[in-house]
Amino acid sequence: MDRIDAKIVRALQEDGRLTNQDLAEKVGLSPSPCLRRVRNLEADGVIQGYSALVDQKACGYPITCFMRIRLSVHSEEAVQRFEAKIMETEAVLDCYLMTGGADYQLRIVAESLDAYEQLVRHTIQRLPGIASIETSFAYGVVKKSRVLPVKLEGAL
Amino acid sequence: MDRIDAKIVRALQEDGRLTNQDLAEKVGLSPSPCLRRVRNLEADGVIQGYSALVDQKACGYPITCFMRIRLSVHSEEAVQRFEAKIMETEAVLDCYLMTGGADYQLRIVAESLDAYEQLVRHTIQRLPGIASIETSFAYGVVKKSRVLPVKLEGAL
DNA sequence: ATATTATTGGCATAATCTGCCAACAGGATT
DNA sequence: AATCCTGTTGGCAGATTATGCCAATAATAT
């Protein structure tokens, strides 16, 4: 990871479909070495993939909420069953292990309040070993960035 | 948004660099109409852009935390100054308006605890009109999906 | 059944990707 | 300082892909 790699990472976060030629120009390289660097970043796992960013509402998911969940049982089995269920639930977009009052924080999307209720009743509340759930709805988005502020300095 | 558009949206969320030819094959269309649909989805704002997904740690940002912030002053001016500052702070990746105890929830990344401290002291705490801040650190990631579970049914 | 509109598939051209090789730069050794 | 060595770069050629246009097809309404 040198200065050029950082530029590449930043540029591809801002536009994941940049052509290699445009990217090369942006970072001040000719296409061949540029492509090689991109492939290396991919192989090293620095770049994990590419994705289209979509308008949630336009796709029929106007509702976003965050749930903070505390488990009553922290045995390995309970944790694994919980996390396995999270993994297979498509409406759960993110799930982090947290410090503080809750064990997990989930970001959940839904098509409607009805769909949300179904999800909570049929999936979330049936997760094994839940002690408490605290939910907050997002009713507006101030910012949604996809660009890590990768410093253009320092080797890693 | 018909069934085919939904397939396109899903496929491009899973791999934003799919070739138009591969995409066309995946959704059961020939390349020309497939490309046209993609361009329409982009023009309509359903597809808002493309992005490379990167490994935060490999890029030097091992720390993620969520901050829930409550404002003491909710005047339009205070809100705008707050949100403007959020917008220009690169370490704040997301910011939602929330129901419940906090007004905002921020997702923040940092390169180190020191950098985090600097950020809090020099940027966050100087935001105008803050009543309280509650921070939780993410010390693990269970799931991080980028794919809205776009239903293959229903026109919108 | 017919007219009309929207969508599709195929084709030709232009742009892009990608692997290979020679040239170049930087560092270590003599 | 000259030489070797390693890693990176730039350019070129063939293969792949994108893109605009046109006729053909499908869907809808009259």
Side-chain angles (χ1 to χ4, degrees):
Chain A
M1 273 291 275
D2 59 6
R3 209 157 295 113
I4 296 181
D5 283 340
K7 276 195 190 181
I8 290 175
V9 166
R10 200 179 252 268
L12 286 178
Q13 283 185 106
E14 284 164 3
D15 181 358
R17 290 211 77 145
L18 269 179
T19 61
N20 183 53
Q21 308 206 356
D22 292 346
L23 179 61
E25 193 178 347
K26 242 184 222 287
V27 305
L29 232 53
S30 74
S32 315
C34 182
L35 182 64
R36 209 141 0 112
R37 277 169 179 270
V38 173
R39 294 289 175 262
N40 285 339
L41 288 168
E42 289 169 356
D44 294 349
V46 177
I47 294 178
Q48 297 175 316
Y50 301 87
S51 179
L53 305 162
V54 305
D55 181 330
Q56 275 189 221
K57 281 186 198 157
C59 290
Y61 286 83
I63 293 175
T64 300
C65 71
F66 291 89
M67 292 184 45
R68 285 177 289 284
I69 296 182
R70 204 154 46 78
L71 297 188
S72 53
V73 188
H74 291 82
S75 71
E76 183 159 343
E77 192 216 335
V79 167
Q80 284 190 356
R81 285 209 299 161
F82 176 85
E83 296 188 358
K85 200 73 186 169
I86 293 295
M87 288 306 295
E88 73 187 30
T89 305
E90 286 193 312
V92 177
L93 295 189
D94 307 330
C95 175
Y96 292 90
L97 277 159
M98 302 300 292
T99 65
D103 293 320
Y104 295 95
Q105 174 172 298
L106 280 58
R107 178 167 61 105
I108 290 178
V109 293
E111 299 160 84
S112 64
L113 284 175
D114 279 2
Y116 170 77
E117 188 196 348
Q118 295 301 317
L119 178 73
V120 172
R121 288 181 117 85
H122 293 108
T123 308
I124 307 292
Q125 286 181 347
R126 292 188 184 171
L127 288 169
I130 288 191
S132 73
I133 300 178
E134 187 192 340
T135 304
S136 307
F137 285 86
Y139 66 89
V141 178
V142 175
K143 179 176 188 176
K144 219 169 185 175
S145 169
R146 53 192 184 276
V147 183
L148 271 190
V150 188
K151 287 295 184 309
L152 306 175
E153 330 297 326
L156 292 176
Chain B
M1 273 291 277
D2 59 6
R3 209 158 295 113
I4 295 181
D5 283 340
K7 275 195 191 180
I8 289 176
V9 166
R10 202 179 250 267
L12 285 179
Q13 284 186 105
E14 284 164 3
D15 181 359
R17 290 211 75 147
L18 267 180
T19 302
N20 182 53
Q21 308 206 358
D22 292 346
L23 179 62
E25 192 178 348
K26 242 185 222 288
V27 304
L29 232 55
S30 74
S32 316
C34 182
L35 182 64
R36 211 148 353 117
R37 277 169 179 269
V38 172
R39 293 289 175 261
N40 284 339
L41 289 168
E42 290 167 355
D44 294 348
V46 178
I47 294 178
Q48 299 175 315
Y50 301 87
S51 180
L53 306 161
V54 305
D55 181 330
Q56 275 190 220
K57 281 186 199 158
C59 290
Y61 286 82
I63 294 176
T64 299
C65 72
F66 291 89
M67 291 184 44
R68 285 177 288 285
I69 295 181
R70 204 154 45 80
L71 297 188
S72 52
V73 187
H74 291 82
S75 70
E76 183 159 342
E77 191 217 335
V79 167
Q80 284 191 355
R81 286 209 299 158
F82 176 85
E83 296 188 357
K85 199 73 186 171
I86 293 294
M87 287 306 295
E88 73 187 30
T89 305
E90 286 193 311
V92 178
L93 295 189
D94 307 332
C95 175
Y96 292 89
L97 277 159
M98 302 299 294
T99 66
D103 293 319
Y104 295 95
Q105 175 173 294
L106 281 56
R107 178 167 61 106
I108 291 178
V109 293
E111 300 160 82
S112 64
L113 285 176
D114 278 2
Y116 170 76
E117 190 197 347
Q118 295 301 316
L119 179 73
V120 172
R121 288 180 117 86
H122 293 108
T123 308
I124 308 293
Q125 287 182 345
R126 292 188 185 171
L127 288 169
I130 288 191
S132 73
I133 301 178
E134 189 192 340
T135 305
S136 306
F137 284 86
Y139 66 91
V141 179
V142 175
K143 179 175 189 176
K144 219 168 185 175
S145 170
R146 53 193 183 276
V147 183
L148 273 190
V150 189
K151 287 295 186 307
L152 306 175
E153 329 298 327
L156 292 176

